[in-house]
């Protein structure tokens, strides 16, 4: 990957020549320059929030949770006390494995300033101590149908209008939970609630700038003060425990062994509303290990994460058409690399350039071989459905990146700087207008004060890029109930 340093030892009686700079063999780029470019990208990509911005983030989060509490009260379908998983980054950023071809294109800076993904359980199966066995007879690997036979009659009665019905020869009726019908119900319910909220606007309440159904997710963009926040809300089925189909994965050695406990890794999983390439959209769900991935991120070095974020920014732009590779594929490759390479190597702080080049090489290798195993279910090849023409087209595009990584990094830096400029310009406009701020209603005892803003700023500063798990009771949305990794607030 990189040319070794020239020998520092000179011959006897001759002057010692200075060592050559470390070079990338393929492109000739100086590794030191690539490291500096990755650091510059990271500096612009990681936003620092002042007290006002932190309070706006909190206000938007509370608005979303209050809205979901009202959705639950509409028809009592959602669990009364629900546990959400809030992830930093939208679905388009690859935080969950959902197909991107059905999603409208949103751009940071143009459409939003910050993005989040919120997994909202429509159903919960939380009383299982044994490995969870799913009905995978009709599905591709890593996918499953879900029969409501696993639930009580009350649950079946609530949700049967969101099911497909299969009648058996023996006269029995089976209700299969439909991801598309659940998404339709969720969008309609959210639209009703938002319509009611907007009839009686309150001072400091976020402005709903956009509500769209993107495939099976609902995208909401909120304006709070001078900030715009994108929430991709995903209806899911939540399980405690671990799926039987991924049981063999636990028997292997992994990079996180000894760093976090197995109990933390296998505490739960989800079914997300996404089907396989040839699957039946109305019935098929995709297994998601987002909760486990939050834990695994704790064991990944900052230099590797910086390389991953820079590589992701490059491929999102470069490989957007046709839609075949998503950032989630790159995330999977990074996890495999963590298993494959020594921890001492991956922990090197000045190796971000090596990691970036390695991720590009890995992605190109996966494309050429049309093989990208799911990290948790390796027998599932996430690229199996792609045509030869598509994989070769993307492999050739990646070859151009590999030939000049510095130039593509500079382009990624310019994109993120341009997005930041747009955000700052909108903030300046907001500060000169009478846009109500969450702090402007100082006499309201229910409004958070400066201490909360400072606390939130501290959380954001101390936990860059981390995911937040949230427990909320819709009957009591006045108090924050959120957790960053294993810390509660």
């Amino acid at each position: 990957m990189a040319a070794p340093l020239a020998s520092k030892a000179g011959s006897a009686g001759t002057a010692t020549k200075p060592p050559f700079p470390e070079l990338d063999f393929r492109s000739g780029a100086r590794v030191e320059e690539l490291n500096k470019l990755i650091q510059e990208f990271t500096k612009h990509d990681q936003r620092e929030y002042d007290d006002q911005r932190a309070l706006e983030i909190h206000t938007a989060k509370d608005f979303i949770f209050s809205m979901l509490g009202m959705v639950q009260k509409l028809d009592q379908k959602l669990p009364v006390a629900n546990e959400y998983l809030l992830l930093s980054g939208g679905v388009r950023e690859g935080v969950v494995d959902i197909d991107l071809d059905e999603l409208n294109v949103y751009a940071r800076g143009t459409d939003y300033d910050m993005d989040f993904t919120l997994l909202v359980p429509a159903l919960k199966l939380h009383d299982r101590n044994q490995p969870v066995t799913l009905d995978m007879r009709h599905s591709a690997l890593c996918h499953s149908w879900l029969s409501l036979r696993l639930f009580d009659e009350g649950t079946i009665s609530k949700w049967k209008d969101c099911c497909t019905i299969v009648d058996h020869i023996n006269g029995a009726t089976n209700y299969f939970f439909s991801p598309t019908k659940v998404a339709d119900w969720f969008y309609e319910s959210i639209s009703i609630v938002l319509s009611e909220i907007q009839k009686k606007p309150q001072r400091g309440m976020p402005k709903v700038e956009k509500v769209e159904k993107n495939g099976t997710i609902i995208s909401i963009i909120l304006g709070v003060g001078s900030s715009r926040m994108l929430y991709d809300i995903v209806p899911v089925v939540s399980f405690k425990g671990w799926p039987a189909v991924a049981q063999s994965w636990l028997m292997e050695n992994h990079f996180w062994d000894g760093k976090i406990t197995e109990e933390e890794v296998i505490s739960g999983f989800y079914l997300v509303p996404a089907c396989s390439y040839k699957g039946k959209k109305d019935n098929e769900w995709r297994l998601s290990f987002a909760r486990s991935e939050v834990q695994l991120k704790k064991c990944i070095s900052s230099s590797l994460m910086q390389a991953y974020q820079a590589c992701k920014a490059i491929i999102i732009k470069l490989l957007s058409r046709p839609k075949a590779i998503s950032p989630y594929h790159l995330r999977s490759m990074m996890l495999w690399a963590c298993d494959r390479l020594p921890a001492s190597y991956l922990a090197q702080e000045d190796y971000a350039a090596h990691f970036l080049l390695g991720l590009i090489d890995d992605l190109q290798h996966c494309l050429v071989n049309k093989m990208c195993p799911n990290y948790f279910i390796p027998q599932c090849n996430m690229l199996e459905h792609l045509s030869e023409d598509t994989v070769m087209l993307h492999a050739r595009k990646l070859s151009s990146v590999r030939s000049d990584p510095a130039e593509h990094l500079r382009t990624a830096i310019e994109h993120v700087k341009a997005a930041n400029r747009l955000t700052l310009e909108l903030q300046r406009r907001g500060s000169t207008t009478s846009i109500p701020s969450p702090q402007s209603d100082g006499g309201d005892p229910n409004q958070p004060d400066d201490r909360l803003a400072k606390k939130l700023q501290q959380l954001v500063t101390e936990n860059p890029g981390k995911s937040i798990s949230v427990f909320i009771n819709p009957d009591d949305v006045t108090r924050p109930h959120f957790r960053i990794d294993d810390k509660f607030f």
Side-chain angles (χ1 to χ4, degrees):
M1 184 191 306
L5 293 173
S7 173
K8 294 183 180 180
S11 303
T14 62
T16 302
K17 292 183 179 180
F20 288 118
E22 190 177 8
L23 303 177
D24 169 39
F25 186 90
R26 173 68 188 90
S27 65
R30 293 169 60 119
V31 169
E32 182 183 7
E33 181 190 9
L34 295 178
N35 274 326
K36 288 180 178 177
L37 288 170
I38 293 170
Q39 289 170 7
E40 184 180 356
F41 173 82
T42 301
K43 179 183 72 173
H44 294 293
D45 189 51
Q46 291 182 349
R47 285 83 71 197
E48 291 186 2
Y49 305 139
D50 57 15
D51 285 1
Q52 177 67 22
R53 179 61 67 88
L55 189 54
E56 289 167 354
I57 293 171
H58 178 77
T59 301
K61 175 183 69 69
D62 273 3
F63 178 84
I64 292 292
F65 293 162
S66 298
M67 176 200 75
L68 291 172
M70 294 175 69
V71 168
Q72 192 278 332
K73 290 178 179 178
L74 273 182
D75 50 17
Q76 306 294 313
K77 275 185 162 70
L78 294 180
V80 174
N82 217 352
E83 187 176 2
Y84 309 146
L85 186 67
L86 180 61
L87 305 167
S88 54
V91 167
R92 294 156 192 80
E93 293 291 316
V95 296
V96 287
D97 184 16
I98 289 184
D99 307 311
L100 305 183
D101 54 352
E102 293 184 338
L103 306 187
N104 292 340
V105 176
Y106 299 150
R108 185 180 143 200
T110 304
D111 301 297
Y112 63 89
D113 307 311
M114 288 161 288
D115 51 334
F116 304 92
T117 298
L118 186 64
L119 305 189
V120 179
L123 289 175
K124 298 193 298 181
L125 271 172
H126 280 190
D127 300 322
R128 302 297 178 92
N129 294 320
Q130 299 298 319
V132 181
T133 302
L134 298 168
D135 186 356
M136 307 181 80
R137 295 170 297 169
H138 316 285
S139 307
L141 272 170
C142 216
H143 297 80
S144 178
W145 290 21
L146 182 68
S147 169
L148 290 195
R149 283 180 178 175
L150 298 170
F151 299 86
D152 57 61
E153 287 298 326
T155 301
I156 294 173
S157 178
K158 281 182 190 177
W159 284 107
K160 62 183 177 182
D161 58 335
C162 291
C163 293
T164 58
I165 301 172
V166 177
D167 292 320
H168 292 284
I169 298 174
N170 61 9
T173 300
N174 203 348
Y175 294 94
F176 287 101
F177 206 43
S178 169
T180 52
K181 291 184 178 183
V182 169
D184 289 341
W185 164 82
F186 206 23
Y187 175 68
E188 290 169 9
S189 299
I190 286 175
S191 299
I192 291 169
V193 166
L194 289 177
S195 177
E196 289 299 313
I197 291 174
Q198 289 169 318
K199 287 178 183 176
K200 300 177 182 178
Q202 297 179 3
R203 185 172 178 81
M205 186 179 76
K207 177 186 177 184
V208 181
E209 297 190 353
K210 187 174 291 187
V211 184
E212 289 187 336
K213 185 170 175 289
N214 286 283
T216 53
I217 71 170
I218 294 87
S219 299
I220 300 176
I221 297 179
L222 299 176
V224 190
S226 58
S227 301
R228 298 161 302 160
M229 294 167 217
L230 166 64
Y231 271 83
D232 284 328
I233 303 178
V234 186
V236 300
V237 182
S238 173
F239 295 85
K240 289 291 186 191
W242 198 247
V245 69
Q247 201 69 23
S248 61
W249 177 79
L250 295 175
M251 305 298 108
E252 305 294 332
N253 294 323
H254 297 290
F255 70 98
W256 47 267
D257 292 336
K259 299 175 182 175
I260 52 178
T261 66
E262 186 174 286
E263 287 72 22
E264 290 175 290
V265 174
I266 66 171
S267 61
F269 69 100
Y270 299 98
L271 295 181
V272 296
C275 76
S276 61
Y277 178 64
K278 293 183 178 179
K280 189 174 180 182
K281 285 189 175 183
D282 287 345
N283 282 18
E284 197 170 84
W285 299 78
R286 180 172 297 158
L287 275 74
S288 169
F289 300 90
R291 185 179 294 277
S292 302
E293 289 163 4
V294 168
Q295 300 299 324
L296 299 187
K297 274 179 67 177
K298 296 187 217 176
C299 307
I300 298 176
S301 69
S302 60
S303 51
L304 178 55
M305 282 303 301
Q306 288 173 9
Y308 163 74
Q309 295 291 350
C311 189
K312 182 172 71 169
I314 292 171
I315 70 164
I316 282 178
K317 299 290 184 185
L318 187 75
L319 307 184
S320 60
R321 294 287 185 272
K323 288 243 175 45
I325 294 294
S326 83
Y328 189 82
H329 292 106
L330 186 66
R331 176 188 287 230
S332 300
M333 294 169 201
M334 177 177 64
L335 293 174
W336 281 119
C338 289
D339 273 357
R340 184 177 69 242
L341 296 164
S344 56
Y345 169 74
L346 294 174
Q348 297 296 314
E349 292 184 2
D350 56 350
Y351 273 33
H354 297 80
F355 302 153
L356 171 70
L357 298 173
L359 287 170
I360 297 169
D361 288 341
D362 260 10
L363 185 53
Q364 193 168 20
H365 174 84
C366 289
L367 282 166
V368 169
N369 291 280
K370 212 166 77 168
M371 173 63 71
C372 179
N374 181 283
Y375 181 66
F376 299 92
I377 306 177
Q379 60 270 36
C380 172
N381 176 13
M382 296 189 292
L383 300 184
E384 185 177 23
H385 63 282
L386 297 181
S387 70
E388 297 294 336
D389 288 345
T390 297
V391 294
M392 291 312 297
L393 171 64
H394 285 318
R396 282 194 292 271
K397 288 180 179 179
L398 277 178
S399 180
S400 70
V401 178
R402 196 60 185 82
S403 299
D404 195 354
E407 182 59 31
H408 284 84
L409 277 171
R410 292 188 192 99
T411 301
I413 291 167
E414 288 307 310
H415 281 146
V416 74
K417 287 168 70 174
N420 290 339
R421 283 195 297 270
L422 281 170
T423 294
L424 289 172
E425 177 60 30
L426 284 167
Q427 286 176 344
R428 280 194 292 269
R429 291 181 195 171
S431 65
T432 59
T433 62
S434 58
I435 295 176
S437 159
Q439 291 175 314
S440 58
D441 217 358
D444 185 350
N446 290 323
Q447 287 290 342
D449 59 19
D450 286 345
R451 288 172 299 173
L452 175 59
K454 289 174 181 175
K455 179 181 176 183
L456 287 168
Q457 182 191 11
Q458 181 183 0
L459 296 185
V460 172
T461 303
E462 292 177 352
N463 301 276
K466 290 191 178 179
S467 301
I468 306 170
S469 178
V470 181
F471 183 86
I472 189 77
N473 183 339
D475 292 319
D476 178 15
V477 294
T478 61
R479 294 180 297 144
H481 309 264
F482 55 98
R483 178 181 73 196
I484 298 180
D485 287 339
D486 54 353
K487 297 185 216 170
F488 285 85
F489 302 94

